[in-house]
Amino acid sequence: SSSKWVRLNVGGTYFVSTRQTLCREPKSFLCRLCCQDGPELGSDKDETGAYLIDRDPTYFGPILNYLRHGKLIINKELAEEGVLEEAEFYNIASLVRLVKERIRDNENRTSQGPVKHVYRVLQCQEEELTQMVSTMSDGWKFEQLISIGSSYNYGNEDQAEFLCVVSRELNNSTNGIVKEPSEKAKV
């Protein structure tokens, strides 16, 4: 039991980590299980000597990685609520706070609704293109350039003509009413 490495059998999936990693949170279940002089928590071991933990192994990966490097990394397929449940079970207070904060941030982001855009189509000649794109006001982004052929004839040269599509995010006000930006893309 004084080995540096600890083997865990979480719901039938094996994880291997160091005692140092598992003891990053001194009051956690994992520290109390295997890092004290004499284990504070009694736990059965399987035939390989791994501590048996009857929890979902899917959500244990983010828990262990958090203890390893102090960052919360959750795959997109995993529900944050599941990671929160495990963080609470393992009694990792700093991780519980972090997951709750992330859930709250995500709820705030989705309650604002999807980002909306306003689009403008500007018609210009070939020689005006560079100036038009370089002088677009703040927030406007170039989206697409569509050639519509040539309709101007200066002397012997045809002048190409284009439609330039630009977009900008709509600003959401605090009362939830969406306002269209007042300034227009400069031509």
Side-chain angles (χ1 to χ4, degrees), residues 24 36 39 48 51-52 62 65-66 78-79 82-83 86 92 95 106 110 117 130 134 139 143 147 153 160 165-166 174:
R24 288 264 155 78
Q36 312 281 319
T48 69
Y51 288 100
L52 287 165
N65 282 331
Y66 175 77
L78 290 183
V83 176
E86 295 306 293
I92 303 172
L95 181 56
N106 287 341
T110 56
H117 290 84
T130 305
S134 66
E143 293 287 339
S147 173
N153 197 352
V165 181
V166 295
T174 53

Side-chain angles (χ1 to χ4, degrees), residues 78-140:
L78 290 183
E80 290 166 335
E81 290 78 7
V83 176
L84 175 60
E85 186 66 32
E86 295 306 293
E88 288 172 341
F89 172 80
Y90 291 110
N91 194 30
I92 303 172
S94 59
L95 181 56
V96 168
R97 281 190 302 277
L98 202 55
V99 177
K100 282 183 177 180
E101 186 177 296
R102 184 178 287 187
I103 290 171
R104 204 171 25 255
D105 289 348
N106 287 341
E107 286 172 352
N108 288 342
R109 213 176 354 261
T110 56
S111 69
Q112 292 173 353
V115 175
K116 296 182 181 178
H117 290 84
V118 63
Y119 291 87
R120 295 253 164 37
V121 179
L122 309 168
Q123 187 173 352
C124 63
Q125 296 174 8
E126 184 176 13
E127 63 187 21
E128 300 169 324
L129 263 178
T130 305
Q131 179 185 4
M132 186 201 57
V133 172
S134 66
T135 60
M136 285 192 301
S137 59
D138 289 343
W140 287 97

Side-chain angles (χ1 to χ4, degrees), residues 22-62:
L22 297 175
C23 287
R24 288 264 155 78
E25 291 269 338
K27 294 180 181 177
S28 75
F29 170 90
L30 296 168
C31 186
R32 292 174 55 214
L33 178 68
C34 60
C35 296
Q36 312 281 319
D37 294 331
E40 200 175 305
L41 298 174
S43 176
D44 291 336
K45 292 185 178 184
D46 69 11
E47 63 280 354
T48 69
Y51 288 100
L52 287 165
I53 302 173
D54 187 21
R55 300 299 289 184
D56 186 345
T58 307
Y59 293 100
F60 187 70

Side-chain angles (χ1 to χ4, degrees), residues 5 7 13 21-22 25 32 34 38-40 54 75 81 90 106 115 131 149 152 155 157 159 162-163 178 180 182 186:
W5 292 96
R7 201 168 150 88
T13 301
T21 294
L22 297 175
E25 291 269 338
R32 292 174 55 214
C34 60
E40 200 175 305
D54 187 21
N75 292 340
E81 290 78 7
Y90 291 110
N106 287 341
V115 175
Q131 179 185 4
Y152 297 102
E157 289 185 34
Q159 188 68 27
F162 297 92
L163 295 178
V178 177
E180 187 174 329
S182 58
K186 298 177 186 174

